[in-house]
Amino acid sequence: MSQFSEEQKKAIEHKDGPLMVLAGPGSGKTTVITYRVKTLIEVYGVRPENILVITYTKAAATEMQQRFNHITGNTYRTIFGTFHSVFFWILKNAYGYTTQNIIDESSKYTMLRERIHERELGYDPSDEFLRNIISEISYVKSEMLDIGAYSSANMKPEDFRAIFSDYQKLLTDNGKIDFDDMLVYAYELFCARKDILKSWQRMFKYILVDEFQDINSIQYKILCMLAAPDNNLFVVGDDDQSVYSFRGASPDIMLGFPDDFKDSGIVRLSVNYRCSKCITEAAGRLIANNKNRYEKNIVSAYEGDGLKRIKIKTVKDVREQNDTIIDDIRRLTQAGIPYGNMAVISRTNTEVHSLATKLMLYNIPFKMKESMPDIYNHFIADNIMAYVKIAMGDNSRRNYLKIINRPNRYISRDRLSDDTIDLSGLMNEYSGNYRIVRNLVVLENDLKRIKDMSPWAGINYIRRGVGYNEYIREYCRYRDIETQEFEDIMDEIQDMAKGFGSYDEWFDFIEEYKNELTEINRSRNDQPDAITIATMHGSKGLEFDHVFIIDAVEDITPHKKSKDPGQLEEERRMFYVAVTRARYGLNIYVPRYIRGRKAEESRFVDEMICPGADLKVGVRVSHKKYGVGIITFADDQNVIVAFDSGESKKLNKEYIAKNRLITIL
């Protein structure tokens, strides 16, 4: 046991009763879990089949089992699994379920899409929209919420209740269950059949749980039932990395563990074996701003830090951000750093479209941790492209159906019966209705204008001249959903069209982009040496030598939808997760403008900064007013900064520290 710290040894050697291990980033939690299982078997004589190890993904369970087999010589038959695999095993024994009873993801989408169409609810059921609805259905089930009192973020409450009811009925009628049903049915089974519960309690005498901060309430309830009456429950996690509230996870479960198990102990793994001292300390300053957490003092295992490796780069806009990232990647590869040791981390997967395009252009290999949605598959992109195609002469019925009443021109779909639409003929049909004829004349003139514009100007005209922006605002008002997300999508489509001289060039690019993206999403785990692109959620559990965090501005991180203190604390935890993925190098990019709108540096960047920084000549600083510059002279009280804009400023050290304007680079 000499290779372990005192904290690790205390956790590994624990035998009976409940114990919570607070395991910060890079603290060796997997090692602790595997060696604790080994100790239970080889030192304390526990039968291997009476030990259950639970984690959250199949990949994590497989990796942990492989590491356990490696240190034990593949000798013992201990069970490693996910919550869902364990609970399905229980249901399989009780009810005879097979994998054929589990609904697959594509069938979920098909079911929901058909029901939305059949009910004529007026929502455009894109994959992204349906993904959000599926996530909400999962949340309602896993938290066992009253559907009658639940308010959906994506649909009118009554519409969501109808779709939820339809979905459940379709599952029942087809003899199917989803992953959330596994939890609900297992809980109901244990509540109703104490004899069955006791048989599983006798089997699983020692239970170990990895990533405990990700547990939701129903999982926790079942876990407590399984562990009783001996409560040999060993949970490992980090409340500072609880980032899945949309799945029902909450740090409150970890914070309440000592109250639920009065005789439980707590072990803190306080050494970070992953991150450099600079990154560990900056992350600690950041997360200390959260109130609802266990206090910790995480230290790096690496004392000699050499150069400061946190670089906070203020850039003009997303375009300059992408160019700077490309330059930084090239600089690292020239220094011999493999692509596979780098990662780009964003708040959501919608922020990386333009960067992905840039990486494709420069033939820099990358892989997606999560499947990136194709922005050109969104109904907004589809509508905009339909306008352009008609302007260019493609008068097919399918194009006209996408735009004719967006905005509303009061044209009946029945009038669009031919495969090819003739506007003049349509005007003749409505010759007795001056208002509709006038609408069609305006449309005809708009299409002529769009034809002669560049793609960027054409999209701008469709939005503001034709009235598509107002249509989207009305679309959102009617459905009682936020407008900003749709406006962001329109802004991004328009921004990505910059630089194309003709619609043909733009359409060629879209076709190439879609093909490339399909291939990347299909084989996103097949490239051994490629930059990883991940969201803050998706980066959890990963580590890289060099990390690039993009769009570190207010309304992106923290996200604009996060307003109350609890939501802001989760946003801070997400940023903390992103920061602590980096071993040595951390680049954070702060655009001053996002899609033409002025942006403000994220508060999280400011919170990482050490006010007592040593202001030496040559240190790069970031000033909120003057931008980025280099200290060219320093005395006891002041520094002279030469800013990139060309002007120099004399700044007082006390003023800099007080206002936290200094950025350590």
Side-chain angles (χ1 to χ4, degrees):
M1 301 287 280
S2 60
Q3 73 268 39
F4 303 118
S5 69
E6 289 302 313
E7 300 162 332
Q8 289 174 326
K9 281 195 284 187
K10 186 176 180 181
I12 290 169
E13 293 173 351
H14 174 76
K15 183 177 185 288
D16 292 325
L19 183 74
M20 180 166 62
V21 179
L22 296 177
S27 59
K29 65 181 179 64
T30 302
T31 298
V32 165
I33 292 171
T34 51
Y35 273 89
R36 197 240 173 179
V37 175
K38 184 175 188 288
T39 301
L40 285 174
I41 297 168
E42 296 182 352
V43 177
Y44 300 128
V46 177
R47 293 173 63 87
E49 59 269 25
N50 291 145
I51 300 171
L52 172 64
V53 182
I54 303 178
T55 189
Y56 276 83
T57 67
K58 184 178 180 181
T62 300
E63 180 188 355
M64 195 172 291
Q65 184 161 26
Q66 289 172 345
R67 289 178 66 169
F68 174 72
N69 290 342
H70 177 73
I71 64 173
T72 59
N74 202 19
T75 306
Y76 308 116
R77 294 177 62 82
T78 294
I79 299 164
F80 292 79
T82 65
F83 273 103
H84 289 110
S85 67
V86 172
F87 296 157
F88 183 68
W89 182 19
I90 291 168
L91 295 178
K92 183 179 178 180
N93 278 270
Y95 301 129
Y97 281 130
T98 71
T99 54
Q100 297 300 312
N101 294 108
I102 304 173
I103 187 172
D104 60 80
E105 284 301 302
S106 63
S107 296
K108 282 187 190 179
Y109 281 74
T110 301
M111 275 186 179
L112 292 172
R113 185 174 282 115
E114 288 176 352
R115 293 308 296 146
I116 288 170
H117 279 311
E118 287 172 12
R119 283 187 174 271
E120 298 182 350
L121 296 178
Y123 300 93
D124 193 282
S126 64
D127 284 354
E128 187 172 357
F129 175 79
L130 294 176
R131 190 179 302 115
N132 291 336
I133 298 303
I134 289 169
S135 178
E136 287 199 279
I137 290 173
S138 175
Y139 180 74
V140 169
K141 288 187 180 185
S142 64
E143 293 300 292
M144 295 188 293
L145 300 178
D146 176 7
I147 186 63
Y150 179 75
S151 180
S152 170
N154 296 283
M155 304 177 81
K156 289 181 177 180
E158 60 271 23
D159 291 346
F160 181 78
R161 285 194 290 271
I163 291 300
F164 182 92
S165 176
D166 288 347
Y167 173 71
Q168 280 302 103
K169 186 175 186 303
L170 285 166
L171 288 179
T172 303
D173 291 349
N174 289 280
K176 298 288 186 179
I177 60 172
D178 61 21
F179 286 107
D180 301 295
D181 291 330
M182 293 180 193
L183 309 182
V184 174
Y185 293 170
Y187 175 72
E188 291 174 346
L189 174 67
F190 283 168
C191 288
R193 295 288 302 274
K194 299 302 180 186
D195 56 326
I196 293 177
L197 172 59
K198 285 181 180 178
S199 68
W200 289 101
Q201 288 171 337
R202 286 193 295 270
M203 173 177 281
F204 299 136
K205 294 181 179 179
Y206 289 84
I207 302 175
L208 297 87
V209 183
D210 185 24
E211 302 285 8
F212 185 62
Q213 74 280 347
D214 295 338
I215 200 166
N216 62 36
S217 59
I218 192 169
Q219 290 169 338
Y220 186 53
K221 287 176 182 177
I222 300 171
L223 191 66
C224 292
M225 295 168 82
L226 269 178
D230 295 329
N231 293 329
N232 293 322
L233 189 56
F234 184 91
V235 299
V236 183
D238 181 10
D239 55 308
D240 289 334
Q241 296 185 67
S242 178
V243 296
Y244 292 120
S245 64
F246 63 91
R247 296 180 189 167
S250 167
D252 291 340
I253 295 177
M254 280 197 81
L255 293 168
F257 188 83
D259 294 327
D260 294 335
F261 296 91
K262 301 296 185 184
D263 56 342
S264 64
I266 298 179
V267 173
R268 287 173 165 84
L269 305 184
S270 59
V271 179
N272 184 334
Y273 296 95
R274 175 193 302 152
C275 306
S276 67
K277 183 180 179 183
C278 176
I279 293 171
T280 301
E281 290 177 351
R285 287 191 291 271
L286 167 72
I287 202 63
N289 289 276
N290 273 3
K291 307 302 180 190
N292 192 34
R293 63 186 291 264
Y294 287 104
E295 290 294 324
K296 306 176 189 72
N297 181 30
I298 308 295
V299 297
S300 173
Y302 311 106
E303 286 300 320
D305 220 10
L307 295 173
K308 300 294 184 184
R309 293 192 175 94
I310 298 178
K311 299 183 179 180
I312 297 161
K313 302 189 176 185
T314 302
V315 293
K316 178 184 176 183
D317 53 19
V318 171
R319 190 177 292 260
E320 186 174 299
Q321 175 178 259
N322 294 341
D323 291 339
T324 305
I325 291 172
I326 297 294
D327 290 342
D328 290 338
I329 290 170
R330 286 176 156 180
R331 176 176 50 80
L332 289 171
T333 55
Q334 288 168 4
I337 308 296
Y339 290 124
N341 287 355
M342 305 179 211
V344 175
I345 300 179
S346 60
R347 170 60 181 83
T348 70
N349 59 6
T350 60
E351 278 121 46
V352 293
H353 289 111
S354 60
L355 178 60
T357 303
K358 201 82 172 182
L359 293 171
M360 291 176 191
L361 183 65
Y362 283 89
N363 293 316
I364 295 175
F366 66 94
K367 57 186 177 183
M368 309 295 301
K369 180 63 173 64
E370 304 106 319
S371 180
M372 184 169 72
D374 182 355
I375 194 169
Y376 296 110
N377 278 342
H378 197 282
F379 81 88
I380 287 176
D382 204 29
N383 293 168
I384 289 171
M385 287 191 287
Y387 267 108
V388 172
K389 288 175 181 176
I390 294 171
M392 294 174 68
D394 183 352
N395 294 309
S396 62
R397 179 175 182 268
R398 66 177 180 276
N399 284 333
Y400 268 96
L401 286 173
K402 293 171 185 176
I403 64 96
I404 196 64
N405 285 314
R406 298 183 179 188
N408 199 350
R409 299 181 178 91
Y410 307 98
I411 310 296
S412 169
R413 289 174 63 93
D414 295 338
R415 298 295 182 102
L416 305 178
S417 56
D418 296 333
D419 291 340
T420 301
I421 305 302
D422 175 29
L423 272 184
S424 298
L426 202 54
M427 290 178 201
N428 289 333
E429 289 187 45
Y430 280 103
S431 58
N433 190 322
Y434 171 78
R435 182 186 184 189
I436 292 182
V437 171
R438 181 178 175 277
N439 289 341
L440 292 172
V441 170
V442 171
L443 173 60
E444 186 176 47
N445 290 332
D446 285 338
L447 292 169
K448 289 176 181 176
R449 291 189 181 96
I450 293 167
K451 178 182 178 182
D452 296 326
M453 293 178 176
S454 69
W456 186 92
I459 296 170
N460 192 57
Y461 186 80
I462 292 166
R463 294 180 61 185
R464 292 166 176 85
V466 175
Y468 192 78
N469 276 2
E470 182 53 41
Y471 161 74
I472 289 296
R473 284 191 282 270
E474 180 59 34
Y475 176 92
C476 293
R477 276 195 298 270
Y478 177 74
R479 290 157 184 82
D480 194 24
I481 54 179
E482 289 287 332
T483 307
Q484 189 62 55
E485 182 178 340
F486 290 93
E487 290 181 350
D488 288 346
I489 289 168
M490 290 189 289
D491 286 344
E492 183 153 5
I493 292 167
Q494 187 174 348
D495 194 56
M496 289 174 72
K498 277 183 180 175
F500 293 102
S502 70
Y503 292 119
D504 286 336
E505 288 179 21
W506 186 49
F507 283 137
D508 287 345
F509 159 75
I510 291 171
E511 188 65 28
E512 183 179 350
Y513 177 87
K514 290 168 79 71
N515 291 337
E516 288 261 9
L517 191 60
T518 299
E519 179 59 25
I520 288 165
N521 285 334
R522 186 189 64 79
S523 59
R524 63 180 186 269
N525 296 317
D526 296 343
Q527 298 188 69
D529 187 27
I531 294 167
T532 296
I533 296 180
T535 64
M536 291 179 181
H537 285 110
S539 70
K540 194 163 154 296
L542 306 178
E543 55 186 68
F544 305 90
D545 287 351
H546 296 270
V547 166
F548 311 101
I549 299 176
I550 65 171
D551 295 338
V553 296
E554 292 288 307
D555 290 340
I556 291 181
T557 178
H559 197 274
K560 55 182 172 284
K561 292 183 179 179
S562 300
K563 302 298 183 185
D564 66 51
Q567 291 172 326
L568 287 172
E569 290 210 348
E570 176 157 356
E571 290 289 317
R572 187 175 286 109
R573 292 194 294 269
M574 277 191 271
F575 202 84
Y576 176 77
V577 166
V579 167
T580 54
R581 299 311 94 194
R583 297 188 188 102
Y584 314 121
L586 176 64
N587 284 13
I588 300 175
Y589 303 87
V590 184
R592 295 196 297 273
Y593 292 89
I594 298 286
R595 302 186 190 98
R597 293 191 289 265
K598 190 166 178 58
E600 182 182 350
E601 179 184 272
S602 170
R603 70 194 73 183
F604 302 148
V605 175
D606 186 59
E607 290 168 0
M608 291 172 58
I609 298 167
C610 176
D614 185 15
L615 307 185
K616 295 181 179 179
V617 172
V619 172
R620 289 183 69 81
V621 299
S622 177
H623 193 288
K624 289 184 177 178
K625 181 176 180 182
Y626 303 115
V628 178
I630 299 177
I631 297 176
T632 58
F633 173 80
D635 59 30
D636 289 339
Q637 299 298 324
N638 307 289
V639 296
I640 305 296
V641 184
F643 289 97
D644 290 351
S645 61
E647 61 181 327
S648 296
K649 292 288 178 182
K650 183 177 182 179
L651 301 175
N652 182 268
K653 287 184 178 181
E654 185 178 345
Y655 163 80
I656 291 174
K658 182 179 179 182
N659 292 277
R660 302 185 76 171
L661 300 177
I662 183 70
T663 296
I664 307 172
L665 300 182

